[in-house]
Amino acid sequence: MPAASPFEPVAEIALGPGARVYESGWQSWTPSTSYDVGRRPHRPIASAAIMNGWGNRLAPPDDGYQGEGLLVVDPSEGGDVVVVAARDPAHEVPTVRASARGAAMTVSANGPVDVLRHPTGSAMSNVLGQWADEVSARLVAQPIRPAPTIWCSWYHYFIDVTAQDIEENISVIEKDDLPLDVIQIDDGYQAAVGDRLTLSERFHDLRELTKRINETGRRAGIWVAPFLAGESSALARDHPDWLLSGDDGPVSAGRNWGQQVFGLDLTHPAVCDYLGLVFGSLVDLGFDFFKLDFLYAGALEGHRRKNVSSVCAYRSGLDLVREAVGLSPYLLGCGAPILPSVGKVDAMRVSPDTAPHFEPRDGDLSAPSGRSSILTGRGRSWQHGRWWVNDPDCLLTGSAVEERAVLVGHIERYGGLIGVSDRMADLDDWGRSTLERLCRERPGPTPFTDLWW
Ligand code: 9PG
């Protein structure tokens, strides 16, 4: 495995009393926000969250700030706002650290970064927007496409979803003529994580479902974790050499679904063929919207067949998916390393998962909760319309949802992709009118204006 380069100082910044610092987290679920200098940033609480929520990059120092490929310091009191950002995020995303000693902040990085200074008084969100425009000019080749509106099975049924559940929701959406373009089957249809084309006992024929969805005039969507395999999958058992390996066996991509999960070596020719086959088959089955999840598993550090950076391997994996599905299907990234994905997906989940509870269970803001989704969804609002359409995660309209009006306000202000994930038969008048309003008034794929933070 390539040894990490040492941290070298790249900027020394004089701080005023109202100084702030912005940390950009590694992947969709990693908290990304700004802090008053001196305030302790959000950090993982349980070690299990480090991989899943925080991205298993270098552990941040106890007494400082850390961004992945991007950190911004606003020193206040007449000082320039300083952006320290990956020079070439399509190849390498260095870790950037900042620590304050008295009235000075030292910023260091472990790879090539640019240090960009903006005149005093620039709001951080504008400075981030400017940088995002420059990155977009280099990496986003196609115009950003507006997102369809979506019904997603996850937040009501979770892993236990059945074909009957999907059919019931198709029927209600059709009967009530709900303004939803895509009906998206989430995790739970497949036999095991990693075995994408073998169905769980709760599903028997995806073709029947996509036909039924298409008959209502809607598009069929599906969840896939393309770069991940669970230890209990046939893939991991039959092809251990397809897994990304470290010095002591396969590299862990964390634990989920009650098992160890691993990342795939996206430079292995057989893995490439296999992914082509999987996505080709899903297109043949009638899917044309793909929620690509747990993408971070394709960008872990490890030994690969080809000696390319983890970011390059990851991007080639996304290219492969696009080639296999063709140009027209809509790709939504999730659990995805943010900077390495620019230019490769149509929409991006820009926050941890939403949930009916507002406070994260153990105080970890990478864990599902209303507050987690708002904090980071807002902290990445400058990416919308520049790199992709921002997905703030689904609307939940049930009366048991804590602070549901606050969540709706967040999606209304910072959402680009509008999805809903209730059981549609449960939708009450408030839910229906809220859903209709959010779908009708959703913004186009152009940057948000008047971001003030
Ligand atoms: C399906 C879900 C939904 C959801 C995604 C993603 O173990 N974890 O830390 C963990 C984090 C996120 C997560 C699942 C597990 O949710 O964001 O919308 O598609 O996968 O499994």
Side-chain angles (χ1 to χ4, degrees), residues 29 52 154-155 186-187 223 256 291 293-294 334 349 353:
W29 307 324
N52 289 358
W154 182 248
Y155 297 89
D186 214 280
D187 188 6
W223 175 97
N256 200 1
K291 176 174 173 183
D293 203 358
F294 288 83
C334 189
R349 247 297 275 296
D353 288 9

Side-chain angles (χ1 to χ4, degrees), residues 236-249:
R237 194 183 54 238
D238 298 344
H239 305 286
D241 61 312
W242 292 9
L243 307 178
L244 187 67
S245 61
D247 293 331
D248 315 306

Side-chain angles (χ1 to χ4, degrees), residues 21-62:
V21 57
Y22 175 87
E23 287 186 337
S24 172
W26 174 240
Q27 54 113 323
S28 302
W29 307 324
T30 318
S32 295
T33 189
S34 61
Y35 305 90
D36 289 328
V37 170
R39 218 193 111 199
R40 205 183 126 65
H42 304 302
R43 289 290 179 252
I45 309 278
S47 61
I50 292 176
M51 172 60 80
N52 289 358
W54 296 78
N56 201 40
R57 302 267 292 179
L58 291 175
D62 275 345

Side-chain angles (χ1 to χ4, degrees), residues 266-283:
L266 301 176
T267 69
H268 192 310
V271 172
C272 300
D273 289 348
Y274 165 74
L275 285 176
L277 176 86
V278 166
F279 280 94
S281 308
L282 291 171
V283 168

Side-chain angles (χ1 to χ4, degrees), residues 116-306:
L116 310 158
R117 293 174 185 272
H118 294 258
T120 317
S122 319
M124 246 193 216
S125 50
N126 290 337
V127 165
L128 284 163
Q130 265 182 50
W131 179 71
D133 280 337
E134 286 157 27
V135 172
S136 156
R138 284 186 275 146
L139 298 182
V140 182
Q142 308 292 333
I144 296 167
R145 296 190 281 183
T149 54
I150 289 155
W151 177 81
C152 160
S153 62
W154 182 248
Y155 297 89
H156 183 83
Y157 300 98
F158 297 97
I159 199 88
D160 299 323
V161 64
T162 66
Q164 290 73 28
D165 296 329
I166 304 290
E167 278 161 14
E168 179 198 288
N169 282 278
I170 299 172
S171 297
V172 177
I173 289 168
E174 182 181 36
K175 178 172 68 58
D176 292 353
D177 195 20
L178 295 172
L180 296 164
D181 304 319
V182 170
I183 294 179
Q184 183 239 307
I185 306 170
D186 214 280
D187 188 6
Y189 66 87
Q190 76 291 25
V193 167
D195 296 335
R196 293 152 189 92
L197 298 175
T198 317
L199 297 180
S200 65
E201 75 286 356
R202 301 178 303 281
F203 283 78
H204 53 278
D205 186 353
L206 294 178
R207 178 73 240 177
E208 252 175 39
L209 285 177
T210 61
K211 257 179 70 188
R212 177 78 187 94
I213 292 169
N214 294 158
E215 277 164 14
T216 75
R218 292 177 173 78
R219 298 161 58 182
I222 194 156
W223 175 97
V224 188
F227 302 158
L228 191 75
E231 63 186 335
S232 71
S233 64
L235 183 151
R237 194 183 54 238
D238 298 344
H239 305 286
D241 61 312
W242 292 9
L243 307 178
L244 187 67
S245 61
D247 293 331
D248 315 306
V251 176
S252 170
R255 279 192 73 81
N256 200 1
W257 304 278
Q259 60 181 310
Q260 213 31 255
V261 291
F262 304 110
L264 301 185
D265 175 0
L266 301 176
T267 69
H268 192 310
V271 172
C272 300
D273 289 348
Y274 165 74
L275 285 176
L277 176 86
V278 166
F279 280 94
S281 308
L282 291 171
V283 168
D284 287 346
L285 284 167
F287 293 103
D288 78 342
F289 176 98
F290 295 91
K291 176 174 173 183
L292 306 174
D293 203 358
F294 288 83
L295 288 180
Y296 71 84
L300 300 170
E301 295 300 333
H303 299 296
R304 293 185 164 81
R305 281 287 174 107
K306 280 197 202 142

